[in-house]
Amino acid sequence: MIEPVQLPSPWRDARLTVVVPTYNEAGNLPALVERLLALPLPGLRILVADDNSPDGTGEVADKLAIEHPDRIEVVHRAGKEGLGRAYVDGIGRALDGGAEYVAQMDADLSHPPEALPGMLGTLLSTQAGVVIGSRYVPGGELDENWPLYRRALSGWANLYVHTLLRVRIRDLTAGFKIWRADALRDIGLDRVQSNGYSFQVEMHYLATKLGHTILEVPIRFEERRDGMSKMTTATKIESALMPFRLRSKHRHISR
């Protein structure tokens, strides 16, 4: 586990909301929340967007919110509508709640919370609209226990999307990042159509089209500790078709 960067004041007091979509993550959420709240970021808040998880994740999140009423908010959604819809809902609520910066991360402990202060410092010290925690820039790592087929799928997906969309990002499918609130408002969540994991690609594509600087910093990506991956065949099909839809739908968008 890395040691979190100690940011100077007033940077460490920035109003940062971490949006965490959940579906069947009851075994991972308490550990993630503990690590997030231990960070030297007193302005950090957590927004859990739960898609009515049958394993009781929503109830676990509610208990955590009772324990930390000023730092955790829980959004209970009607059902499993996909990662993209959960993020659109959660990010929209974070912006409405006054967040200056919004982070995205998975609940399965694959993304290191301790990297957030350094990512926030990179965002605040540059003109970037978003900073990505990247597996594929120098210094980035993949857990040695990550299955070979997942490595191949991730590498192929990045090459495939990069070839079609010409977006200069090494980790196009990354789900760990921090956005400036004004960049998110400029993108406009109402533009976002993706339901599944292709949400990540669509957001990167829109940010690029609108001229926002995107920076990548290296992280170590861990294998999930509990539960199973939510990647389905339908999600893979949507992700394969999405680049063609993005080129068509967003062709007129530019800075």
Side-chain angles (χ1 to χ4, degrees), residues 13-250:
D13 301 315
R15 295 195 303 274
L16 169 65
T17 297
V18 182
V19 177
V20 183
T22 56
Y23 187 77
N24 288 349
E25 296 290 358
N28 290 317
L29 187 61
L32 175 63
V33 166
E34 181 181 4
R35 289 169 65 180
L36 283 170
L37 295 182
L39 296 176
L41 297 173
L44 182 147
R45 303 292 181 268
I46 303 168
L47 192 153
V48 179
D50 184 65
D51 276 5
N52 196 24
S53 299
D55 75 340
T57 302
E59 289 79 4
V60 171
D62 285 338
K63 290 178 182 178
L64 292 167
I66 291 171
E67 294 171 10
H68 307 280
D70 297 326
R71 303 197 70 182
I72 301 176
E73 177 183 355
V74 183
V75 176
H76 293 280
R77 292 163 46 77
K80 195 170 188 294
E81 299 176 2
L83 183 72
R85 294 304 93 198
Y87 264 131
V88 166
D89 191 355
I91 291 172
R93 290 172 186 263
L95 293 175
D96 290 343
E100 298 174 294
Y101 309 95
V102 178
Q104 298 175 227
M105 69 184 307
D106 293 344
D108 62 7
L109 301 174
S110 58
H111 299 143
E114 293 75 21
L116 279 171
M119 291 167 64
L120 179 61
T122 299
L123 189 72
L124 289 167
S125 62
T126 66
Q127 297 300 311
V130 58
V131 171
I132 295 171
S134 175
R135 299 163 287 184
Y136 301 128
V137 293
E141 296 181 76
L142 287 171
D143 190 321
E144 56 273 9
N145 294 317
W146 216 41
L148 182 60
Y149 80 92
R150 293 286 302 279
R151 291 171 179 261
L153 179 62
S154 177
W156 177 84
N158 274 280
L159 177 61
Y160 171 74
V161 175
H162 183 272
T163 301
L164 289 174
L165 298 182
R166 301 294 182 184
V167 178
R168 297 173 64 88
I169 303 173
R170 293 200 182 194
D171 200 346
L172 267 165
T173 58
F176 187 32
K177 66 200 81 171
I178 300 182
W179 296 88
R180 290 184 186 271
D182 56 2
L184 290 168
R185 293 191 181 97
D186 188 35
I187 288 171
L189 296 174
D190 56 324
R191 283 186 173 132
V192 181
Q193 301 298 309
S194 302
N195 293 323
Y197 290 84
S198 56
F199 168 83
Q200 314 293 5
V201 174
E202 185 169 12
M203 291 293 285
H204 295 154
Y205 183 61
L206 286 167
T208 299
K209 291 274 284 184
L210 289 165
H212 293 285
T213 299
I214 301 174
L215 298 179
E216 296 179 83
V217 298
I219 63 161
R220 176 178 169 82
F221 184 88
E222 301 284 349
E223 175 65 304
R224 69 161 42 246
R225 296 190 183 179
D226 187 77
M228 299 178 62
S229 171
K230 312 303 189 297
M231 182 74 75
T232 65
T233 300
T235 299
K236 293 174 185 176
I237 292 172
E238 183 202 21
S239 298
L241 295 176
M242 185 52 64
F244 297 99
R245 295 174 181 167
L246 291 181
R247 286 197 309 186
S248 174
K249 179 175 179 58
H250 300 314

